[in-house]
Amino acid sequence: MTALLSGLLLGGAQPPAAASGRHAPGATTAQPCGARTHIEVFRPGGIPLLDWRENLAFDGHGTLWVSHVTRHRVEGYAPDGTLKATLPVNGPGGIRRGPDGLMYVNYGVNPLTAGLGSGILRFDPAAAHPSPEKVVDGLSGINGLAIDAAGNLYVSRELATGVRKFRPDGTEDERWSRAASVFGTNGLEIVGDQLYASVLTSTASPIVRIPLKDPARHTTVTELSPHPWDAKLLDDLTAFRGDLVVASFRDGELLRVDPATGRSCVLVSGLRMPTSVRVPLGFGAHDPRHELFVVEASGRIVTVRVA
């Protein structure tokens, strides 16, 4: 989302439409889901946009890792909200745990400092003093990140066509990347053998399904904006109770989507520019069946409890 801040939030041009492939039936998101939800502040924010927390992931061993894109650092939090670790990273974005137990994070996502380098780093979350090392360098315009069970890395690009795939050794699977020809992807989530991507640069606000084994056969799961003036500015997304939950940056909502039918509803509203949402795995007493963690461009980290 950060790469489009000046264009979409500060009066820039209308974003282009996405290349959305074959379509599944869309559905309006006007109706609430009906589930009782409760929002609590896990970590307070600061000055909106200037205290931008972009992404988050759990290492499965009691630490929540957060990309603080404007302060150029990755933060590690204990289940009680205590800040227990920080490591300097230039403009960190998408962050995920790999199957090797290491944490992977995109860097150079902040457009103001992208000239200092961009790509993917990794670090050991169990280290006393985590130290990042480069996996891939020279990736401009990247944002979201996903990792499959074999350790392959998938990177979204807000202003370009194609999700890029990198093997565990850092080399690119160029044929796969060319076949995943969706323009303007942001959030990424793998469920089984499918990669789901939210599209930021289309006023239809689509979510796209990309088969990991045949990316050219990507299809649109749903389009969440029935009117061009209602673009959601979709950010990151996660799997939750068999559905997808995606953050609407503009509307301050979490939208719940059935990936089989494309039907959707508003799970929670009243957030402040949410940028990423995750299920708390291995994080103290926090319940992955009933809780979601959200970071915002307001700087807040909040929990959403779903009855």
Side-chain angles (χ1 to χ4, degrees):
M1 170 61 85
T2 50
L4 286 178
L5 175 60
S6 59
L8 296 178
L9 297 180
L10 302 181
Q14 186 75 292
S20 53
R22 292 175 294 279
H23 286 232
T28 179
T29 60
Q31 299 299 319
C33 296
R36 297 191 308 276
T37 58
H38 178 69
I39 299 172
E40 291 186 1
V41 177
F42 179 81
R43 187 79 177 184
I47 301 174
L49 302 181
L50 298 181
D51 194 36
W52 189 310
R53 288 185 166 96
E54 170 68 12
N55 213 270
L56 75 159
F58 296 88
D59 64 13
H61 298 285
T63 303
L64 162 63
W65 296 95
V66 175
S67 299
H68 201 311
V69 68
T70 51
R71 292 192 182 181
H72 305 286
R73 69 185 191 185
V74 172
E75 305 164 335
Y77 291 96
D80 64 358
T82 303
L83 178 63
K84 56 190 286 189
T86 61
L87 58 153
V89 174
N90 169 38
I95 184 168
R96 292 284 184 161
R97 179 183 183 271
D100 54 5
L102 301 180
M103 302 300 296
Y104 290 76
V105 58
N106 293 341
Y107 69 96
V109 170
N110 188 329
L112 299 179
T113 60
L116 300 178
S118 56
I120 307 171
L121 303 171
R122 66 184 169 203
F123 63 91
D124 183 356
H129 302 286
S131 178
E133 64 174 353
K134 291 182 181 179
V135 179
V136 185
D137 199 8
L139 305 180
S140 61
I142 62 174
N143 192 317
L145 177 66
I147 308 175
D148 66 22
N152 296 300
L153 307 162
Y154 302 84
V155 180
S156 69
R157 301 191 292 169
E158 294 174 342
L159 295 175
T161 298
V163 176
R164 298 182 69 173
K165 176 183 177 181
F166 295 90
R167 304 178 183 93
D169 64 2
T171 60
E172 184 170 8
D173 186 338
E174 296 182 359
R175 177 181 294 182
W176 196 100
S177 298
R178 287 193 300 270
S181 56
V182 181
F183 186 90
T185 55
N186 192 341
L188 299 176
E189 174 74 324
I190 293 175
V191 181
D193 59 358
Q194 306 292 321
L195 173 66
Y196 292 90
S198 63
V199 177
L200 175 64
T201 54
S202 169
T203 54
S205 305
I207 294 177
V208 177
R209 180 192 293 112
I210 304 172
L212 293 179
K213 296 180 180 179
D214 192 0
R217 295 181 64 84
H218 56 82
T219 57
T220 299
V221 175
T222 190
E223 293 179 340
L224 296 172
S225 297
H227 306 292
W229 57 85
D230 189 37
K232 303 296 182 183
L233 299 188
L234 297 181
D235 214 303
D236 207 4
L237 73 166
T238 195
F240 180 65
R241 295 185 185 175
D243 290 332
L244 300 171
V245 175
V246 59
S248 169
F249 184 93
R250 196 200 74 168
D251 293 343
E253 296 173 340
L254 296 182
L255 307 173
R256 189 168 186 170
V257 177
D258 182 335
T261 66
R263 293 181 179 177
S264 59
C265 56
V266 178
L267 181 63
V268 65
S269 58
L271 299 172
R272 304 173 185 174
M273 298 174 289
T275 55
S276 184
V277 54
R278 290 284 183 273
V279 174
L281 299 175
F283 196 54
H286 292 282
D287 187 351
R289 299 167 299 175
H290 296 284
E291 286 185 73
L292 294 163
F293 273 66
V294 181
V295 289
E296 302 175 330
S298 72
R300 297 193 310 172
I301 306 172
V302 302
T303 62
V304 177
R305 182 162 184 84
V306 183

